[in-house]
Amino acid sequence: MRYSELCKVYEELGATTKRLEKIAILSEFLKKVRENDKEVLYLLLGNLYPSYDPREIGISTQTVIKALAKAAGISDEKIVSEWKKIGDLGQVAELLITKKKQSGLFHGELTTEKIISDLRELAKMQGKGTVGKKIDLIAGLLSNSKPVEAKYLVRILLADLRIGVQDSTLRDSIADTFFPDNKKIASEKVQHAYDLNPDIALIFEKARHGLKELDKVSLKPGSPIKAMLAQKVDSIEEGFEVVGKPAVFEYKYDGFRLMINKDEKGNISLFTRRLDNVTNQFPDVVSFIREFVNAKSFMIDSEAVGYDPKTKKYLPFQSVSQRIKRKYDIDKTAKDFPVELNVFDLLMLDGESYIGRPFIERTKALRKIIKNKEYKLVCAKQLITDSEKEAKLFFNKALKDNQEGLMVKNLNAVYKPGSRVGYMLKLKPEHRDLDLVIVGAEYGTGKRAGWLSSFILACKSDKHGGGEFLEVGRVGTGIKEKLDIGVSFLELTNLLKPLITKSSGKEVKVKPKIIVSVIFQEIQKSPTYNSGYALRFPRVTALRMDKPLNEINSLKDIEREYGEQK
Ligand code: ATP
């Protein structure tokens, strides 16, 4: 397919904020996508592979600036100064390539296959001495681009397409394209198939061949699925009301979610709830799975919890979360920050899918294949009861054991991947916390000079598929000056600097990517922030590198918290 056709659609999508219009534009476009072009669906989401694939383009803004300078034949400084004026390097590329084209340069016709294969090549170039090659490759593509093509090439490289398309938009568009008379049912089927196998190009192809083909999409150990999420309840009584009596209560472990896969050939893979493949980061967990799970192939849902190797005391999430992103010193980190795996659900066993079976059956089957070994791999502590008194005692025990509270589960419910349904509830002691994304920051002074030290937090808006963010306050507390257990200023500064999109004086705006958990005292109405609310005395408690952006708290959650406090 011609890359210019894709860029035309990018332009149309970027020109409207209305979700239905976006779906109409996408459906028209998808009708023209042939089977051998199906990978353009990745490009529509700004990716080169299914979103769970760990391979990223991984290009720094600096490299893009240098490539642009080379292609346009001007200095890096000039590009930086244009970028400061315009605020989007993609638009800078468009402008500069326009000027260059006016001076009469020939360009060939780029195809989407060429873009995908070159960018995949680029992603493979790693290590010292590859920077020059990367610059040459990008400059080559830019020189062959029309202005608008250059704009989107730069935006793809910087993982910032700015067209407001979420995977949910694309899923609805697929339903619209192939099943215009049956959109509602088709949309649910597309969603379900995608939850089981989140490869958008594969789902697109299945949909082309009919609803029956979508129904055939099934779990496959090694390709991750979206985890089922929990609704919040405020008391044991409310828990019973939602899931009925008796109910299953389990410790809510304060760690991070790991989806464990073992395929028929014995390959083990681990995925976070963002569907990041973290197998390499957890060799210890891989060996526990080999030793303590007695089955040929399976998919198991679990929570990995950190503990102090000396005192054996369980530690909060933040103390081990750094292991998720770790790329070096893996064995040492595993020793210094050991985790215990607490398994709690079974989705597939020896080739058979379990997700359609009642929870009670899944948990029984799971418990049969697990050999419990404390501090390595154990089944989640569980109580099945219809007694409020017993459940309360169990809740207190969980808190005494340094865990977050309880999960309350419906005995008869199926597993619904990717959904926050009332089959599984979370119950925590009364304290208010929210997961929010950082959208801006300010450089500190004095001891904190050189660090970003105050951070603007935002929730997701409930409109446009959650792709917009609304500010709810500023936070500077809870962050450490020393590199210690916990979140430090240095760490946040290093994470945020590459995401800066605009700076004026000490203030910067950043791409919404870094998520933090905060606790706070109160929510107030406030004209200062565009959400209309402000958090009073917020404090950062954890960095949530495990959580996807579309699962942060929304304006509705803030409104609900505000309502509840009154
Ligand atoms: P929170 O921020 O409140 O921890 P969350 O946004 O991380 O919640 P939720 O889905 O809302 O995630 O809460 C459920 C999470 O609790 C699960 O994603 C899982 O990681 C964790 N968890 C711990 N113990 C269990 C358990 N026994 N069963 C299911 N989930 C558990």
Side-chain angles (χ1 to χ4, degrees):
M1 164 177 285
R2 292 205 308 264
Y3 175 49
S4 55
E5 274 183 74
L6 176 66
C7 291
K8 189 164 158 268
V9 175
Y10 283 151
E11 284 284 272
E12 289 170 13
L13 291 165
T16 172
T17 54
K18 298 205 177 79
R19 187 174 145 81
L20 286 180
E21 282 180 17
K22 285 188 199 282
I23 292 177
I25 295 165
L26 280 165
S27 315
E28 268 317 297
F29 174 69
L30 292 178
K31 281 183 199 144
K32 292 182 275 180
V33 176
R34 301 278 151 258
E35 177 161 5
N36 52 6
D37 283 325
K38 62 175 186 289
E39 291 186 328
V40 298
L41 274 95
Y42 302 142
L43 286 179
L44 282 169
L45 293 172
N47 299 328
L48 299 177
Y49 297 100
S51 41
Y52 58 79
D53 194 292
R55 289 169 287 188
E56 285 181 353
I57 307 180
I59 292 292
S60 71
T61 315
Q62 275 317 314
T63 307
V64 176
I65 291 174
K66 287 203 157 37
L68 194 51
K70 188 163 182 183
I74 60 173
S75 71
D76 295 10
E77 290 74 29
K78 178 90 179 90
I79 292 187
V80 172
S81 92
E82 287 291 321
W83 179 33
K84 282 209 167 132
K85 259 192 269 162
I86 301 177
D88 166 20
L89 213 47
Q91 269 174 286
V92 175
E94 184 175 31
L95 192 82
L96 293 175
I97 299 291
T98 308
K99 284 191 184 151
K100 175 108 188 182
K101 294 283 132 98
Q102 280 162 356
S103 63
L105 193 91
F106 167 81
H107 61 76
E109 183 75 61
L110 282 172
T111 62
T112 51
E113 296 89 84
K114 166 93 176 141
I115 296 287
I116 291 177
S117 76
D118 276 16
L119 296 188
R120 284 183 178 168
E121 260 324 291
L122 200 63
K124 278 192 219 149
M125 296 178 188
Q126 272 178 9
K128 276 192 189 143
T130 53
V131 179
K133 280 194 198 150
K134 287 182 188 173
I135 294 173
D136 287 347
L137 191 149
I138 302 170
L141 282 174
L142 285 170
S143 308
N144 269 315
S145 298
K146 295 176 193 132
V148 66
E149 295 176 341
K151 169 162 87 181
Y152 287 103
L153 180 65
V154 165
R155 288 186 178 176
I156 294 171
L157 286 165
L158 298 176
D160 188 16
L161 261 184
R162 303 185 181 206
I163 56 168
V165 172
Q166 319 287 322
D167 39 6
S168 59
T169 331
L170 203 45
R171 285 196 310 260
D172 285 350
S173 311
I174 293 176
D176 224 50
T177 308
F178 297 119
F179 313 100
D181 304 326
N182 199 1
K183 279 187 215 167
K184 193 159 179 294
I185 292 181
S187 177
E188 278 164 18
K189 290 203 183 251
V190 170
Q191 158 92 48
H192 182 66
Y194 185 76
D195 286 338
L196 296 178
N197 192 339
D199 177 340
I200 198 75
L202 177 132
I203 300 302
F204 173 70
E205 269 318 296
K206 296 283 175 193
R208 184 202 298 283
H209 295 103
L211 289 179
K212 282 215 176 94
E213 281 303 302
L214 278 177
D215 287 339
K216 282 193 210 152
V217 173
S218 63
L219 296 180
K220 202 168 120 231
S223 92
I225 75 164
K226 298 230 175 140
M228 176 159 76
L229 302 174
Q231 283 176 5
K232 187 177 152 208
V233 285
D234 293 323
S235 65
I236 302 269
E237 291 77 7
E238 195 188 342
F240 275 126
E241 260 166 45
V242 180
V243 302
K245 277 187 179 179
V248 183
F249 293 87
E250 282 178 359
Y251 273 26
K252 183 179 193 313
Y253 293 96
D254 186 11
F256 54 92
R257 193 114 177 216
L258 272 186
M259 194 63 84
I260 303 163
N261 294 255
K262 186 173 161 202
D263 68 18
E264 301 71 32
K265 291 188 189 131
N267 300 312
I268 290 175
S269 47
L270 311 174
F271 292 93
T272 65
R273 72 191 251 191
R274 283 174 44 151
L275 311 186
D276 290 332
N277 186 331
V278 291
T279 317
N280 291 339
Q281 284 89 312
F282 294 93
D284 44 344
V285 171
V286 171
S287 75
F288 303 159
I289 294 164
R290 285 208 195 289
E291 209 177 332
F292 303 111
V293 190
N294 184 18
K296 197 154 182 280
S297 70
F298 46 79
M299 291 174 86
I300 290 175
D301 202 352
S302 75
E303 186 89 350
V305 188
Y307 61 89
D308 185 315
K310 288 196 193 100
T311 63
K312 295 280 165 78
K313 250 184 95 162
Y314 291 105
L315 299 171
F317 163 74
Q318 187 55 46
S319 60
V320 285
S321 65
Q322 52 179 299
R323 285 194 61 184
I324 299 172
K325 288 269 151 180
R326 201 73 184 206
K327 295 226 165 79
Y328 49 91
D329 282 348
I330 299 229
D331 289 328
K332 181 175 184 309
T333 320
K335 273 211 184 86
D336 292 347
F337 303 97
V339 293
E340 176 187 76
L341 205 61
N342 292 267
V343 299
F344 57 75
D345 217 328
L346 179 68
L347 314 187
M348 169 160 245
L349 176 60
D350 292 339
E352 260 186 72
S353 170
Y354 271 61
I355 59 168
R357 303 191 187 191
F359 178 71
I360 189 73
E361 225 180 274
R362 301 200 303 275
T363 184
K364 278 189 182 154
L366 173 68
R367 278 154 205 267
K368 274 196 194 136
I369 58 170
I370 301 293
K371 204 162 106 194
N372 279 300
K373 181 80 184 170
E374 227 187 337
Y375 296 111
K376 293 195 165 150
L377 192 151
V378 293
C379 291
K381 288 210 170 74
Q382 194 181 66
L383 168 78
I384 303 179
T385 185
D386 57 7
S387 148
E388 268 142 36
K389 200 170 145 215
E390 267 182 35
K392 275 181 192 154
L393 287 174
F394 194 56
F395 181 59
N396 292 337
K397 195 159 167 283
L399 297 181
K400 233 177 87 199
D401 284 349
N402 260 3
Q403 299 307 334
E404 273 194 306
L406 291 182
M407 303 299 293
V408 192
K409 300 183 181 181
N410 181 324
L411 241 69
N412 301 309
V414 299
Y415 190 97
K416 271 221 162 248
S419 306
R420 201 177 282 280
V421 276
Y423 301 163
M424 174 165 118
L425 315 170
K426 54 179 174 180
L427 173 65
K428 293 197 266 189
E430 182 50 47
H431 75 241
R432 310 151 142 262
D433 65 350
L434 292 169
D435 291 336
L436 300 167
V437 68
I438 298 177
V439 293
E442 192 179 339
Y443 279 101
T445 50
K447 257 205 309 192
R448 296 181 183 174
W451 290 334
L452 291 168
S453 71
S454 154
F455 306 89
I456 302 173
L457 302 169
C459 63
K460 65 178 179 188
S461 117
D462 297 294
K463 293 192 193 129
H464 311 308
E468 273 178 17
F469 302 96
L470 300 169
E471 296 176 1
V472 291
R474 260 175 197 274
V475 66
T477 357
I479 305 156
K480 310 264 163 43
E481 286 182 353
K482 282 194 196 134
L483 265 182
D484 200 349
I485 283 183
V487 192
S488 70
F489 286 110
L490 178 65
E491 185 181 14
L492 272 182
T493 306
N494 287 341
L495 286 169
L496 290 170
K497 262 193 174 166
L499 305 175
I500 293 176
T501 52
K502 217 176 185 177
S503 47
S504 68
K506 286 193 173 309
E507 295 269 343
V508 297
K509 292 249 174 287
V510 295
K511 216 157 73 180
K513 186 157 180 202
I514 303 302
I515 301 167
V516 287
S517 294
V518 294
I519 50 173
F520 54 92
Q521 217 174 58
E522 199 190 354
I523 300 180
Q524 292 178 324
K525 288 227 170 184
S526 158
T528 314
Y529 300 105
N530 60 355
S531 65
Y533 294 92
L535 302 181
R536 248 168 79 82
F537 304 123
R539 178 183 192 85
V540 173
T541 56
L543 241 183
R544 296 297 305 261
M545 301 303 269
D546 64 316
K547 203 167 194 177
L549 192 54
N550 59 9
E551 285 175 20
I552 66 167
N553 286 105
S554 67
L555 183 60
K556 262 203 200 112
D557 298 329
I558 307 256
E559 281 164 352
R560 199 192 50 232
E561 294 271 352
Y562 177 76
E564 278 173 9
Q565 78 193 6
K566 288 211 302 195

